[in-house]
Structure formats: C-alpha cells, structure tokens
Amino acid sequence: DGGITQSPKYLFRKEGQNVTLSCEQNLNHDAMYWYRQDPGQGLRLIYYSQIVNDFQKGDIAEGYSVSREKKESFPLTVTSAQKNPTAFYLCASRETGAQPQHFGDGTRLSIL
Amino acid sequence: QKEVEQDPGPLSVPEGAIVSLNCTYSNSAFQYFMWYRQYSRKGPELLMYTYSSGNKEDGRFTAQVDKSSKYISLFIRDSQPSDSATYLCAPSKAAGNKLTFGGGTRVLVKP
C-alpha cells in the first residue's frame, strides 16, 4: 500500500543529544514537509522540500536540520540547539500542482 | 491575533446530530481551504479541499467558504461515534503553497 511512514513512533532524547526522525514515502510525491504540533496549537512548519537536494526553512526552523538526498526520504534532525523539543512531529507530502498535503502518523519526541 | 482561529471545544453532540464546525481567518490572500480530521496519536487525514467561496459536499460532509466574511464551515450530517476526533482547518494562499493551521476543534459524538 502507498503511504507515508514515520519512525520511530516514540523517541526519547537526552539533554545535549541530536536525534533524527525518519520520514519515507512511496507515493512518488515531489514535495515533502515537516511540522511540529504542540498541545492546543495548530501545526507549525519546520522545513519543506519541493525537489531532491533542495529545501527551505519554514516558520520555526531554528534548532532543526533536514536533508533530501532521495525523493522518497526526508529525515529531520532535532539538534541540541532546540531547547524545547518535546512535541509531536508530523511529516507530509504531496504531488506537484494543486494537490493537498497528506500526512504520516507522526513521531512523539520526549526529553529524558 | 492568530491568522487562523478555531474554538478548541470540546463540542459534544449525540449520535445522529449535525456537527457544525467553524474557522475564521484574517489573511484575505487565502484562496484554498482544507479540512483535516485527526484522531488521537495519529496524523491528520484530509477530509475536504475547496477553492475560493462556495459549498462542496462529499457524503456526510459539507464545506462552506465565505471569503467576504473570512469564515469557513464544516458540517457533518448523521454524526457517528467514529467522527469523534479533532478537526483542523488549513487555508493556503496558492495551490500547493504552505498551509496555515488553526488549533483544531475537538468533537465528541456520544452513542
């Protein structure tokens, strides 16, 4: 079945540690996105990529990094510079043109 | 003031009732309007996707957009307990452009 797979489902980070969240899609979508969701708040855009080897900062990129070496993969690294990383992280993708975004089932990151 | 506002709820209704959800926005440049449904601990699922003003119906769901009032509505007819979820509105300025999400409205449909 085609879809967007995020792993792991739950992730714990120690202080000062970088962690990487995985996002893989087999929908052949060109664009991919990373969002952060905090309780009671809407999703906020961290980074997005329209094509391979290219990506742009979203509204809250500080403390995060991404890469887009393959069309199907868009990993997100939460660095130690992100002081409040506890949140639900969502990856999305979409086809080119006037197509809406579709989401994976998220990774919940917590601080130990 | 947030760009997109939703009442957080919870909105509690009996099974079979009509659920009425609303969303207001401040940016007149928004042209495309999405509604997503999100179950607990899951990613958002696209429900409705509309362009500009007017109505769109899909099964039990109807989306309405009033750009003059900057007001978006979603109606769910014959509500079921499985409709219990958080509903997010997400307008955008252009097709494929970044989405601006409201905080979501939590809905509880009681059997």
Side-chain angles (χ1 to χ4, degrees):
Chain A
D1 286 336
I4 303 166
T5 302
Q6 290 189 242
S7 62
K9 194 172 179 67
Y10 299 96
L11 187 58
F12 299 92
R13 192 189 93 169
K14 294 180 181 178
E15 294 287 346
Q17 187 179 50
N18 294 353
V19 291
T20 298
L21 285 60
S22 170
C23 178
E24 304 275 334
Q25 53 97 0
N26 60 3
L27 302 166
N28 200 34
H29 287 174
D30 288 303
M32 297 185 74
Y33 305 80
W34 274 106
Y35 292 88
R36 170 183 172 136
Q37 187 175 31
D38 294 285
Q41 296 192 36
L43 282 67
R44 292 183 290 167
L45 183 64
I46 304 172
Y47 267 99
Y48 64 102
S49 169
Q50 306 274 36
I51 56 172
V52 175
N53 293 321
D54 188 48
F55 49 82
Q56 287 79 40
K57 293 181 179 180
D59 299 320
I60 55 165
E62 185 175 351
Y64 300 97
S65 66
V66 294
S67 62
R68 187 86 186 276
E69 297 176 2
K70 299 186 294 182
K71 186 176 184 178
E72 60 269 24
S73 179
F74 191 39
L76 173 75
T77 296
V78 183
T79 74
S80 57
Q82 172 50 243
K83 298 307 178 187
N84 185 23
T86 297
F88 190 43
Y89 290 88
L90 289 157
C91 177
S93 70
R94 68 171 187 87
E95 297 179 71
T96 53
Q99 298 301 320
Q101 296 177 27
H102 297 272
F103 287 83
D105 273 342
T107 292
R108 188 166 299 277
L109 175 63
S110 300
I111 300 301
L112 287 177
Chain B
Q1 183 188 3
K2 294 182 180 178
E3 245 184 321
V4 181
E5 300 265 14
Q6 290 183 259
D7 187 324
L11 176 62
S12 183
V13 300
E15 183 175 357
I18 294 175
V19 177
S20 175
L21 299 166
N22 304 306
C23 178
T24 58
Y25 63 93
S26 57
N27 193 334
S28 58
F30 288 144
Q31 299 281 347
Y32 293 82
F33 303 92
M34 267 65 68
W35 281 98
Y36 286 86
R37 176 175 65 195
Q38 186 176 25
Y39 292 114
S40 182
R41 298 185 180 88
K42 292 288 189 179
E45 170 193 8
L46 182 68
L47 277 180
M48 301 288 284
Y49 175 36
T50 56
Y51 170 69
S52 195
S53 287
N55 295 358
K56 183 175 181 179
E57 188 173 319
D58 184 0
R60 296 186 297 113
F61 300 91
T62 299
Q64 289 185 352
V65 177
D66 181 350
K67 289 186 66 183
S68 62
S69 302
K70 299 187 181 70
Y71 196 82
I72 314 163
S73 300
L74 178 70
F75 301 97
I76 307 173
R77 291 182 299 281
D78 187 25
S79 59
Q80 304 296 312
S82 58
D83 294 325
S84 297
T86 297
Y87 291 80
L88 303 160
C89 69
S92 70
K93 296 176 186 178
N97 209 341
K98 81 165 218 177
L99 301 175
T100 302
F101 282 85
T105 297
R106 186 171 165 226
V107 172
L108 298 172
V109 180
K110 297 184 175 180

